[in-house]
Amino acid sequence: MSALLEVEGVHAGYGPVNVLEDISLEVGEGQTVALLGANGAGKTTTLRAISGMLKPRGRIRIAGHDVTGRATERIVKLGVAHVPEGRGTFAPLTVEENLRLGAYARRNGGPDLERAFTLFPRLGERRHQRAGTLSGGEQQMLAIARALMLQPRLMLLDEPSLGLAPNLTRELFKVLRQVKEDEGTAMLVVEQNANLVLEFADAAHVLETGRIVLSGTADEVSADESMRKAYLGY
Ligand code: ATP
């Protein structure tokens, strides 16, 4: 059986500037895959190519459907939710309104606000507060909670812990782990915090100047000497 996400020999960039060189990776149903690497290595560009924000060369398949160069709406309909770096919530709307909007393109059923508030109790306490007045960390959680409202099969998460204090980062990873276990949502996670993400990822890839230089199970990548020196700090 083919993987949920298959990326094969992908090249992509911005106008004449090529960033990604021959990227190949897979995310199986329910799997968590980490995408690691230094600033500017092409991690965000990889997620953009997958979610249809850039037109790549090569081949991208989701659940067996060839989506290379297809519009983002089509990719969303196949169950892919992209949580971009930074916030991207609607500032004038309340927490609850943001979540209802997230459920708009959902594949089945009505919005399950209570599930979102169980996973993120902080958001429940602030359900009537405008998103623009939430703290940075709370906005980050709202962006993730909103993506979960789609009941995605695959979440593309771009630096979910960016700007979060260490205790909130741990809380966030606990929630992601729970979503993985309870709902079997597959995830491709870009993360600077390599130690934390490798604790719950199944596989990992390391990017350097647009190329994958190391791939393996999370244990293999954690044990790699060059990886330990460059990103894990031991
Ligand atoms: P970071 O960890 O800093 O977010 P990244 O690995 O996600 O880095 P990308 O954002 O994918 O890296 O950037 C890869 C390269 O593409 C960088 O050299 C960057 O300057 C360039 N780039 C990104 N966005 C654009 C754009 N809109 N136009 C032109 N070049 C871009």
Side-chain angles (χ1 to χ4, degrees), residues 127-174:
R127 63 196 291 165
H128 301 301
Q129 191 174 327
R130 284 181 205 281
T133 64
L134 296 173
S135 76
E138 290 160 0
Q139 289 188 37
Q140 194 81 337
M141 289 186 184
L142 178 57
I144 293 167
R146 194 179 59 183
L148 283 171
M149 295 297 285
L150 273 171
Q151 290 191 317
R153 289 171 88 173
L154 171 68
M155 281 223 285
L156 306 175
L157 292 161
D158 200 348
E159 306 219 12
S161 76
L162 192 78
L164 297 192
N167 60 334
L168 278 189
T169 301
R170 273 191 297 277
E171 204 178 296
L172 177 67
F173 275 93
K174 228 170 83 189

Side-chain angles (χ1 to χ4, degrees), residues 2-8 25-27 59-64:
S2 57
L4 176 58
L5 170 69
E6 298 165 277
V7 175
E8 250 175 58
L25 58 88
E26 288 190 352
V27 182
R59 189 70 57 222
I60 298 178
R61 288 192 199 85
I62 293 164

Side-chain angles (χ1 to χ4, degrees), residues 18 41 78 96 121 125 183 203 222:
N18 203 50
L78 288 170
E96 188 171 319
E125 290 159 19
E183 267 137 81
S222 305

Side-chain angles (χ1 to χ4, degrees), residues 14 33-49 51 53-54 81-88 139-141 143-144 147 154-164 172-173 176 187-193 197 207:
Y14 305 91
V33 176
L35 206 51
L36 309 170
N39 290 121
K43 306 179 299 293
T44 296
T45 305
T46 304
L47 298 191
R48 286 187 182 142
S51 68
M53 293 160 73
L54 293 174
H82 185 173
V83 186
E85 199 175 355
R87 316 252 148 88
Q139 289 188 37
Q140 194 81 337
M141 289 186 184
I144 293 167
L154 171 68
M155 281 223 285
L156 306 175
L157 292 161
D158 200 348
E159 306 219 12
S161 76
L162 192 78
L164 297 192
L172 177 67
F173 275 93
L176 292 179
M187 302 183 201
L188 181 59
V189 190
V190 167
E191 188 48 66
Q192 295 282 342
N193 222 316
V197 71
L207 275 177

Side-chain angles (χ1 to χ4, degrees), residues 21-228:
E21 296 277 348
D22 199 23
I23 298 292
S24 297
L25 58 88
E26 288 190 352
V27 182
E29 201 79 60
Q31 245 194 350
T32 302
V33 176
L35 206 51
L36 309 170
N39 290 121
K43 306 179 299 293
T44 296
T45 305
T46 304
L47 298 191
R48 286 187 182 142
I50 294 166
S51 68
M53 293 160 73
L54 293 174
K55 302 285 172 236
R57 285 186 293 126
R59 189 70 57 222
I60 298 178
R61 288 192 199 85
I62 293 164
H65 301 270
D66 186 345
V67 296
T68 322
R70 300 299 294 269
T72 300
E73 297 90 87
R74 159 108 178 111
I75 294 167
V76 170
K77 284 212 179 91
L78 288 170
V80 177
H82 185 173
V83 186
E85 199 175 355
R87 316 252 148 88
T89 54
F90 296 103
L93 302 185
T94 66
V95 166
E96 188 171 319
E97 287 164 343
N98 266 280
L99 292 175
R100 287 188 186 281
L101 230 105
Y104 168 75
R106 180 185 189 118
R107 288 179 297 154
N108 43 42
D112 188 359
L113 289 171
E114 294 319 313
R115 168 75 178 150
F117 294 146
T118 306
L119 286 171
F120 297 99
R122 237 169 235 279
L123 296 179
E125 290 159 19
R126 293 166 176 80
R127 63 196 291 165
H128 301 301
Q129 191 174 327
R130 284 181 205 281
T133 64
L134 296 173
S135 76
E138 290 160 0
Q139 289 188 37
Q140 194 81 337
M141 289 186 184
L142 178 57
I144 293 167
R146 194 179 59 183
L148 283 171
M149 295 297 285
L150 273 171
Q151 290 191 317
R153 289 171 88 173
L154 171 68
M155 281 223 285
L156 306 175
L157 292 161
D158 200 348
E159 306 219 12
S161 76
L162 192 78
L164 297 192
N167 60 334
L168 278 189
T169 301
R170 273 191 297 277
E171 204 178 296
L172 177 67
F173 275 93
K174 228 170 83 189
V175 171
L176 292 179
R177 195 188 283 251
Q178 200 178 335
V179 168
K180 172 187 175 166
E181 283 166 10
D182 295 355
E183 267 137 81
T185 312
M187 302 183 201
L188 181 59
V189 190
V190 167
E191 188 48 66
Q192 295 282 342
N193 222 316
N195 281 314
L196 266 181
V197 71
L198 286 172
E199 270 176 27
F200 91 109
D202 301 293
H205 303 276
V206 181
L207 275 177
E208 238 172 66
T209 54
R211 290 176 183 277
I212 292 181
V213 293
L214 178 66
S215 296
T217 64
D219 288 344
E220 285 163 356
V221 170
S222 305
D224 184 88
E225 194 162 347
S226 57
M227 176 66 200
R228 289 212 316 260

